[in-house]
Amino acid sequence: MVEEHAARLRPKGKELVELLDSAGQVLAEPVLADRNFPPFPRATRDGYAVRSSDLAQLPATLSVVGEVKAGAPANAALQLNPGQAIAIMTGAPAPPGADAVVMIEYTSRNGDQVEITKGIAAGENIVPVGAEAKRAERLLSPGMRLDAAAIAVAASAGRSHLLVYSKPRVAVLATGDELVDIDVPPGPNQIRNSNSYSLAAQVQAAGGEPVLLPIAPDHPDRLRELIADGFEMDLLLLTGGVSVGKYDLVEQVLAEFQAEFFFTGAQIQPGRPVVFGRAPCRAGSSFGVSTRAREGEEHGFSRADKDAQTSGALAPEGHTYFFGLPGNPVSTMVTFELFARPMLEALAGLTPRKLVFLHAKLKSEIKTKPGLKRFLPAILSGEFEHSEVELVRWQGSGDMAATARANCYIVIPSDRERIEPGEWVPVLMR
Ligand code: AMP
Ligand code: MG
């Protein structure tokens, strides 16, 4: 459902960034090989460049006629003839005539002679010119996230700057009369707004730029104003106020914006009341950043100054998508991962991908009530083929402290009541 809508979204623009600042951004252009990779036949071991046919009889004694080290200037005179060897270092070009490099461990040098005790196949320990990539071949494709490996590739192709997609601006609106800002002393029956901060972190990790709006009380007028501000961003995330309580007003107020609701609830736990929809961008709206949105920036979560007038109006046919995420902190985090992240990644220009699930052996028994698919905070431990997973003990989907001790979620199918220790279970990484 979310994926269908995500497939229609396009990122809003591109910008040139320095390679050093590009980590985590989404590439917006292909990166091509500016030369052959490798540009010369590269030795991958320290040893001796040889003709493999000279090692048919062992041990073989060859005469050493020279040495090549990595980075040495090209020496046209260096040529390997039958019966000869050339000392060579890792990363150096194999000289003409050589078809393999014997590792130094299988050799013993005696003056200008070397004795070799192990045979070798042609091509061993030499990477031929262009074997990794030919000149002008595509090394990286648009839509990929720039991780360390991709950045290494760009650097090796001489790209000090890269074109990346502009980050979508994501409005984060926490709702609830009981909430106070984190820098305000809470009254005895108040709690601090933690969801805006967990969401800001998740938005950043997914490639977006969070813009924290002020807390909305459970009152339609103020909620309406703040939702209007939120719709001026590229995506609106609300938390709280989507259950069936008397003061859960979010859906009702969203409906006033001619919102279309694609779903209002999912058969999952935590996160059952999650809402997904979109509303038309308002005619005549400047799509600028309103005063209230800027208050969010003062919290240091947004660097909106560079394109303050260009935000909004990304969605096809002029819609802005929204998610009403349940207020329980763990529900907020899980529903972001499952539903909001794919939308945000599409806005950020990432090529769509499926959520990654691992499998691990269950350490201790799980009993649940069937009916809902569950995503329960858990700890994955162990190494390599011995990974084990077990639930953290928690007080339900409001228990952030337990979730902070967890490093993943165990996914429990909706038809299971009991899972035995030793069974392989799907795990969603955090
Ligand atoms: P709601 O979805 O509004 O019914 O809220 C469910 C639970 O989550 C309540 O216990 C709220 O106090 C709590 N909650 C709602 N919003 C937040 C927030 N922004 N930060 C921390 N807890 C919240
Ligand atoms: Mg509430």
Side-chain angles (χ1 to χ4, degrees):
M1 163 60 82
V2 169
E3 282 73 15
E4 284 162 35
H5 290 277
R8 285 189 255 146
L9 295 178
R10 295 287 169 266
K12 63 178 168 183
K14 301 175 183 180
E15 47 197 85
L16 201 61
V17 294
E18 284 193 32
L19 189 59
L20 263 184
D21 296 329
S22 70
Q25 308 239 57
V26 182
L27 187 63
E29 59 167 341
V31 170
L32 307 183
D34 64 325
R35 62 206 298 229
N36 288 320
F37 280 62
F40 50 81
R42 184 179 68 221
T44 61
R45 298 278 190 243
D46 295 317
Y48 290 88
V50 298
R51 292 168 171 267
S52 54
S53 55
D54 280 347
L55 305 185
Q57 307 264 303
L58 292 173
T61 302
L62 303 175
S63 46
V64 180
V65 296
E67 178 185 285
V68 254
K69 59 179 186 129
N75 176 359
L78 208 59
Q79 153 80 32
L80 194 80
N81 294 312
Q84 296 180 337
I86 289 176
I88 194 165
M89 319 300 148
T90 300
D99 68 0
V101 169
V102 178
M103 287 165 69
I104 200 155
E105 289 83 342
Y106 304 119
T107 68
S108 55
R109 180 78 176 260
N110 188 1
D112 57 4
Q113 304 275 301
V114 62
E115 189 186 74
I116 297 174
T117 53
K118 192 166 184 271
I120 197 164
E124 236 177 284
N125 303 328
I126 296 179
V127 183
V129 172
E132 293 160 358
K134 299 263 185 299
R135 195 180 120 80
E137 205 172 288
R138 182 182 282 206
L139 300 171
L140 303 174
S141 294
M144 69 180 294
R145 198 186 290 288
L146 290 160
D147 61 7
I151 288 173
V153 168
S156 63
R159 299 296 309 271
S160 59
H161 291 79
L162 289 175
L163 208 52
V164 298
Y165 289 117
S166 310
K167 291 183 179 178
R169 290 157 49 81
V170 181
V172 177
L173 176 54
T175 75
D177 277 346
E178 73 280 32
L179 301 177
V180 293
D181 271 323
I182 56 172
D183 43 10
V184 171
N189 295 330
Q190 293 182 312
I191 58 164
R192 297 191 179 95
N193 167 23
S194 62
N195 288 345
S196 293
Y197 295 87
S198 58
L199 280 176
Q202 288 177 295
V203 165
Q204 279 171 329
E209 195 174 290
V211 177
L212 267 58
L213 298 175
I215 293 167
D218 294 319
H219 189 281
D221 293 344
R222 181 69 174 136
L223 187 57
R224 192 178 301 115
E225 281 177 6
L226 290 168
I227 287 179
D229 285 341
F231 275 135
E232 291 178 4
M233 302 291 142
D234 303 321
L235 180 67
L236 168 59
L237 303 178
L238 300 112
T239 75
V242 288
S243 309
V244 291
K246 185 173 168 198
Y247 297 101
D248 289 327
L249 303 170
V250 164
E251 273 179 68
Q252 174 194 317
V253 174
L254 282 167
E256 294 174 19
F257 288 81
Q258 281 91 49
E260 264 177 275
F261 292 91
F262 300 122
F263 57 74
T264 55
Q267 295 301 315
I268 57 168
Q269 196 261 330
R272 191 173 191 171
V274 59
V275 167
F276 171 49
R278 67 180 180 188
C281 296
R282 286 159 306 151
S285 158
S286 70
F287 297 126
V289 175
S290 72
T291 332
R292 282 180 213 91
R294 278 200 209 96
E295 286 171 31
E297 283 155 34
E298 280 160 23
H299 293 295
F301 277 98
S302 174
R303 282 167 280 120
D305 40 309
K306 59 181 187 297
D307 56 359
Q309 296 305 314
T310 60
S311 190
L314 293 186
E317 315 113 41
H319 287 97
T320 304
Y321 285 89
F322 62 81
F323 288 91
L325 307 176
N328 263 319
V330 186
S331 312
T332 307
M333 283 181 61
V334 170
T335 49
F336 177 91
E337 278 311 308
L338 296 179
F339 303 110
R341 178 185 264 275
M343 282 306 268
L344 178 52
E345 288 186 346
L347 285 171
L350 264 187
T351 302
R353 60 178 182 101
K354 293 274 175 222
L355 278 175
V356 178
F357 292 90
L358 310 175
H359 279 81
K361 255 189 196 158
L362 189 65
K363 214 163 157 180
S364 22
E365 182 190 49
I366 298 179
K367 283 185 184 161
T368 55
K369 276 187 248 130
L372 298 175
K373 185 179 235 173
R374 286 169 211 272
F375 296 83
L376 302 182
I379 296 176
L380 181 69
S381 58
E383 285 195 320
F384 306 117
E385 69 275 29
H386 301 297
S387 48
E388 284 187 315
V389 68
E390 87 183 310
L391 295 179
V392 292
R393 233 176 298 165
W394 75 331
Q395 302 300 319
S397 51
D399 189 347
M400 269 325 288
T403 307
R405 288 195 297 277
N407 56 13
C408 64
Y409 302 98
I410 294 180
V411 187
I412 304 172
S414 56
D415 57 354
R416 295 297 299 269
E417 253 173 298
R418 179 159 185 269
I419 305 181
E420 307 271 349
E423 202 176 308
W424 289 87
V425 290
V427 169
L428 175 65
M429 292 311 292
R430 265 231 308 270

